[in-house]
């Protein structure tokens, strides 16, 4: 899930640098702001050695030392009901680690085209593993669907992407990470809350301090929950009196379903994502392809959207958005209301679309149709130049970094409409040439890296 947004922060993923989200198994593929990068294993019983706090950290704590800050944080935890015994048990692990802060400040997200990322992360072997897990834990999945309305395939897809079904949950003690990020000023309040939540997990007997091994950003368990989400959504599905998201498959299944249903507002019995194709691309209103635009399926059918095999869409009023993760020449999907749960879990469009697609595959959908031809893509340097031109034109594109985030996509779409180009939000050489203008249209040296899309 996204550290920037919701509970499990997830999946780290390898082409060009940028900022965003993460999970250990994927840490080599698509590092995101909430996933660990692997490092040498450390004994669970051994707290990380303390390192000197940065002077800039104390600036947001009125100059207080880490020790003074920690004493205040413990007082606050006690005021919120954490027992002195739990605080004492955790204290040896509540040490400052400047390396964690440096990692947080230097996060990089490695972007890939959606087809590349989905090809790796939603590969047939992961689909098959998901189906096997559903069979192996049939009773827990059936109970989760009955109680929370979340289909087994949806739970299994997140489980597989986040940790390969428990094989890669991270290997760092999370308490030093949480308290270090709490002392640092970048997200101090958020991680103070996360540290106190971790103490509550210890206090209620779910995990001991030495068992709290996870990602560098403090995520725990097989679907990578932040402590606040662990406290709020974890359930004891196996009836042993503990909510154990590290070692109990039933607890993982039930807790993930609870979070999706309760935290992400899953709509029971409704779809989430379906692959489609546009049958008449030359006349299609591409500006309607936007997650913020929802039309009835009957309207999409009228506009020329069908299933990949040519079968007609249902002629009903169910609202859906047309999702084009790589523009009009790439894959196309109808995204339903439940797709919002995916973008809340992780705000990376590539991750959320891959997770939704993998869930459809686990549920029995055929593999997506490959693009008929390679999708044209601008190199990283030209994406950055396009962002600069968009910013100069008055658009807020966020950081000019070569990342095709939602702000950049919105700005691209607006300029495509202005210039009368197909408004599919995908940056093209033609759009860049128009924005450069006659005086700036000379060839520019191209960067070697591909553009980055979230």
């Amino acid at each position: 899930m996204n550290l920037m947004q919701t509970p499990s922060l997830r999946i780290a993923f390898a082409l060009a640098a940028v900022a965003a989200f993460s999970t250990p198994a994927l840490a080599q593929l698509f590092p995101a702001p909430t996933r660990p990068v692997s490092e040498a294993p450390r004994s669970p019983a051994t707290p990380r050695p303390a390192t000197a706090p940065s002077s800039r950290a104390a600036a947001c704590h009125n100059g207080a030392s880490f020790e003074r800050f920690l004493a205040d944080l413990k007082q606050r935890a006690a005021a919120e009901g954490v027992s002195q015994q739990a605080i004492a048990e955790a204290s040896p692990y509540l040490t400052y680690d400047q390396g964690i802060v440096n990692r947080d400040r230097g996060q990089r997200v490695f972007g890939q085209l959606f087809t590349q990322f989905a090809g790796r992360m939603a590969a047939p072997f992961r689909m098959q593993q998901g189906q096997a897990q559903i069979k192996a834990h049939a009773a827990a999945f059936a109970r989760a669907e009955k109680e929370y309305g979340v289909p087994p395939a949806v739970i299994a897809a997140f489980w597989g992407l986040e940790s390969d079904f428990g094989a890669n949950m991270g290997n760092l003690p999370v308490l030093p990470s949480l308290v270090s990020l709490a002392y640092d000023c970048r997200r101090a309040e958020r991680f103070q809350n996360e540290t106190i939540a971790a103490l509550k997990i210890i206090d209620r007997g779910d995990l001991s301090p030495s068992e709290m091994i996870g990602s560098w950003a403090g995520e725990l368990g097989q679907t990578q929950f932040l402590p606040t989400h662990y406290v709020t959504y974890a359930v004891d599905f196996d009836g042993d009196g503990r909510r154990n998201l590290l070692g109990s498959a039933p607890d993982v299944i039930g807790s993930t379903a609870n979070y999706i249903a309760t935290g992400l507002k899953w709509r029971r019995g409704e779809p989430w994502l379906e692959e489609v194709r546009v049958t008449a691309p030359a006349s299609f209103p591409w500006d309607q392809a936007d997650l913020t635009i929802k039309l009835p399926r009957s309207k999409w059918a009228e506009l020329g959207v069908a299933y990949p095999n040519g079968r007609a869409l249902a002629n009903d009023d169910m609202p859906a958005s047309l999702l084009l993760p790589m523009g009009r020449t790439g894959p196309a999907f109808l995204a339903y209301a439940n797709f919002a749960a995916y973008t809340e879990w992780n705000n990376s469009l590539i991750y959320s679309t891959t997770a939704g697609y993998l869930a459809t595959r686990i549920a029995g959908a055929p593999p997506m149709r490959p693009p008929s031809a390679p999708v044209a893509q601008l190199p990283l340097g030209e994406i950055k130049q396009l962002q600069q031109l968009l910013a100069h034109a008055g658009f807020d594109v966020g950081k000019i970094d070569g990342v095709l985030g939602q702000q950049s996509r919105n700005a691209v779409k607006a300029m495509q409409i202005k210039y009368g180009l197909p408004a599919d939000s995908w940056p093209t050489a033609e759009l860049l040439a128009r924005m450069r203008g006659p005086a700036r249209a000379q060839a520019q040296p191209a960067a070697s890296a591909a553009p980055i899309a979230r």
Side-chain angles (χ1 to χ4, degrees):
M1 298 165 147
N2 208 313
L3 220 195
M4 315 174 112
Q5 274 190 306
T6 85
S8 36
L9 310 76
R10 316 177 160 356
I11 303 185
F13 312 151
L15 272 189
V18 148
F21 255 145
S22 80
T23 183
L26 312 183
Q28 300 305 316
L29 292 174
F30 190 37
T34 67
R35 206 97 297 192
V37 176
S38 102
E39 63 178 59
R42 182 181 301 275
S43 167
T46 307
R48 294 180 65 86
T51 54
S54 166
S55 60
R56 62 187 171 185
C60 61
H61 303 295
N62 298 317
S65 67
F66 176 72
E67 290 71 22
R68 178 68 262 169
F69 161 79
L70 183 58
D72 291 344
L73 186 62
K74 290 177 178 179
Q75 269 193 328
R76 179 177 157 190
E80 292 190 24
V82 179
S83 71
Q84 289 300 324
Q85 180 179 345
I87 293 172
E89 289 175 5
S91 288
Y93 297 81
L94 296 175
T95 59
Y96 185 86
D97 186 343
Q98 184 63 41
I100 292 295
V101 173
N102 293 344
R103 178 177 287 185
D104 183 60
R105 290 179 175 274
Q107 289 181 79
R108 297 280 183 185
V109 173
F110 297 88
Q112 294 176 305
L113 289 174
F114 166 69
T115 48
Q116 294 171 330
F117 184 68
R120 298 188 68 164
M121 304 315 300
F125 81 89
R126 191 163 275 118
M127 172 197 74
Q128 293 158 6
Q129 287 178 335
Q131 293 171 339
Q133 292 290 342
I134 291 171
K135 289 181 181 177
H137 304 287
F141 276 108
R143 178 184 167 193
E145 184 170 25
K146 180 179 179 181
E147 292 186 14
Y148 300 110
V150 182
V154 173
I155 302 167
F158 282 124
W159 193 8
L161 286 177
E162 288 304 322
S163 72
D164 269 332
F165 306 101
N168 296 289
M169 293 184 284
N171 55 14
L172 297 176
V174 303
L175 288 172
S177 295
L178 293 170
V179 77
S180 298
L181 295 173
Y183 185 61
D184 183 56
C185 294
R186 193 165 88 85
R187 291 176 290 176
E189 184 62 27
R190 167 176 290 182
F191 279 96
Q192 289 175 47
N193 293 334
E194 296 298 342
T195 304
I196 292 172
L199 296 176
K200 291 178 179 178
I201 293 170
I202 296 166
D203 200 26
R204 71 185 186 185
D206 292 338
L207 298 172
S208 68
S210 64
E211 289 176 317
M212 300 182 85
I213 303 296
S215 85
W216 68 264
E219 302 147 295
L220 284 163
Q222 298 186 27
T223 47
Q224 295 286 279
F225 277 21
L226 281 174
T228 51
H229 292 94
Y230 199 120
V231 167
T232 304
Y233 300 108
V235 295
D236 175 19
F237 235 44
D238 62 11
D240 69 352
R242 299 174 63 201
R243 303 162 187 84
N244 182 1
L245 303 192
L246 280 74
S248 168
D251 287 4
V252 170
I253 293 163
S255 301
T256 304
N258 185 27
Y259 172 63
I260 294 170
T262 310
L264 303 183
K265 310 303 181 188
W266 186 267
R267 297 161 69 130
R268 183 186 292 265
E270 294 189 15
W272 58 93
L273 195 72
E274 289 182 306
E275 188 188 3
V276 295
R277 67 183 177 94
V278 176
T279 59
S283 59
F284 190 79
W286 294 107
D287 62 313
Q288 298 299 293
D290 194 309
L291 286 176
T292 65
I293 296 174
K294 301 183 188 305
L295 301 176
R297 274 195 294 209
S298 57
K299 181 62 176 179
W300 288 121
E302 181 185 316
L303 291 172
V305 177
Y307 290 114
N309 62 4
R311 181 169 58 90
L313 299 178
N315 186 29
D316 59 25
D317 293 332
M318 178 168 282
S321 300
L322 184 62
L323 170 60
L324 306 174
M326 294 166 58
R328 68 190 186 283
T329 60
F333 300 90
L334 281 186
Y336 297 94
N338 276 334
F339 187 67
Y342 290 89
T343 57
E344 282 292 310
W345 181 288
N346 188 312
N347 64 6
S348 160
L349 184 63
I350 288 179
Y351 176 90
S352 56
T353 307
T354 298
Y357 167 65
L358 176 57
T360 68
R361 294 281 287 128
I362 293 172
M368 75 177 133
R369 235 176 24 138
S372 57
V375 176
Q377 52 183 301
L378 294 180
L380 179 64
E382 291 187 357
I383 292 285
K384 292 174 73 172
Q385 185 184 50
L386 180 60
Q387 288 177 316
Q388 290 170 337
L389 293 170
L390 290 167
H392 184 71
F395 292 97
D396 179 8
V397 298
K399 186 177 180 181
I400 296 174
D401 53 9
V403 180
L404 192 62
Q406 192 57 53
Q407 290 171 293
S408 293
R409 291 174 68 96
N410 292 342
V412 165
K413 177 180 177 179
M415 293 307 294
Q416 287 172 327
I417 292 172
K418 175 180 177 179
Y419 289 120
L421 301 173
D424 62 357
S425 303
W426 186 250
T428 62
E430 184 176 6
L431 176 61
L432 179 58
R434 295 282 190 96
M435 293 201 68
R436 283 173 177 167
R440 305 182 61 177
Q442 293 81 7
Q444 307 264 333
S448 59
I452 298 171
R454 288 199 183 111

